[in-house]
Amino acid sequence: MSKENEKWRHDTEYISYINSGESAAVFIVRDIVRKVNTNGKWVDVLSFNTYDKRGAEGKWAFNWIIAELFPKKLQPKYCGKDTDYNKYMTWITANEDIKQQREKGYKGDKFLVLCDLQMKNKKHAEPEWEYIIQAVRKVNYRQIEYIQEHEWELENKIRENGRPTLQILGILN
């Protein structure tokens, strides 16, 4: 790839997406959550809340993830076998597709995901971590608004309880 084509590596919005944990949240919803069909859909993370997990340096631990799904109408144009560049092109395409659909008034299904980051192999020197899905619920605008407006209060309740629950987040069964 030429130097001109390497500019994508310095895209500050993409770097922020990777470093903020949003890409990990997309991965969890897309690849780990089984109760949400994401085939042929983009995952747009609307909100997430993280915490530090002892011993899990470099891994994202989430109290919650709220995501909205959009149909894939645009397809990324990949270039060769550079997987990092192809991930970037996927991100660019997803953002553009979602933006266009929002401008047309599309509103996708929204889901709340509770997951726990757990150590798989406590006996090994180099621990392996995995996400365990605790709960998944379809949510509406009011429920999302409540969680976002009461984030600090909810974090305190989660700390007191030791883990997030649907009840703490105001989601009734």
Side-chain angles (χ1 to χ4, degrees):
M1 210 174 266
S2 71
K3 282 193 176 197
E4 182 65 26
N5 291 339
E6 289 289 316
K7 286 183 179 178
W8 68 269
R9 292 189 188 277
H10 305 286
D11 183 326
T12 56
E13 287 184 49
Y14 182 66
I15 292 167
S16 176
Y17 164 76
I18 298 298
N19 292 338
S20 71
E22 186 178 349
S23 64
V26 168
F27 166 76
I28 291 166
V29 174
R30 186 193 65 219
D31 294 351
I32 299 175
V33 173
R34 298 287 174 237
K35 292 184 178 182
V36 178
N37 181 2
T38 59
N39 290 334
K41 295 184 171 74
W42 299 118
V43 176
D44 187 28
V45 176
L46 303 176
S47 173
F48 63 89
N49 182 275
T50 62
Y51 63 96
D52 290 328
K53 181 89 168 189
R54 191 177 322 178
E57 289 79 16
K59 302 285 183 197
W60 289 97
F62 295 91
N63 281 319
W64 68 78
I65 300 167
I66 301 172
E68 183 174 7
L69 303 182
F70 289 83
K72 287 184 181 178
K73 294 188 175 189
L74 301 177
Q75 297 301 317
K77 292 181 176 70
Y78 296 128
C79 180
K81 295 182 180 180
D82 184 340
T83 57
D84 289 334
Y85 179 76
N86 290 342
K87 286 178 184 179
Y88 174 74
M89 290 310 301
T90 299
W91 176 79
I92 288 286
T93 305
N95 280 309
E96 183 58 31
D97 203 356
I98 290 167
K99 178 183 167 200
Q100 288 178 16
Q101 291 183 52
R102 280 194 198 285
E103 287 171 354
K104 292 177 183 173
Y106 182 84
K107 292 179 181 6
D109 290 337
K110 296 163 189 70
F111 294 90
L112 170 69
V113 176
L114 304 182
C115 64
D116 189 25
L117 180 61
Q118 294 182 359
M119 191 183 305
K120 277 174 52 170
N121 57 344
K122 295 179 183 178
K123 296 178 183 176
H124 294 90
E126 190 65 35
E128 289 182 36
W129 296 86
E130 66 181 340
Y131 292 102
I132 306 298
I133 305 305
Q134 304 294 332
V136 178
R137 287 292 186 279
K138 192 171 180 180
V139 289
N140 61 41
Y141 175 76
R142 283 191 190 132
Q143 292 167 319
I144 295 168
E145 188 176 61
Y146 174 82
I147 292 168
Q148 291 174 333
E149 288 178 359
H150 296 89
E151 184 170 356
W152 303 115
E153 175 187 331
L154 295 171
E155 279 184 5
N156 287 332
K157 288 181 180 180
I158 290 167
R159 257 187 247 107
E160 289 170 10
N161 189 54
R163 66 184 181 93
T165 64
L166 293 172
Q167 189 174 23
I168 287 173
L169 297 176
I171 309 296
L172 304 175
N173 292 336

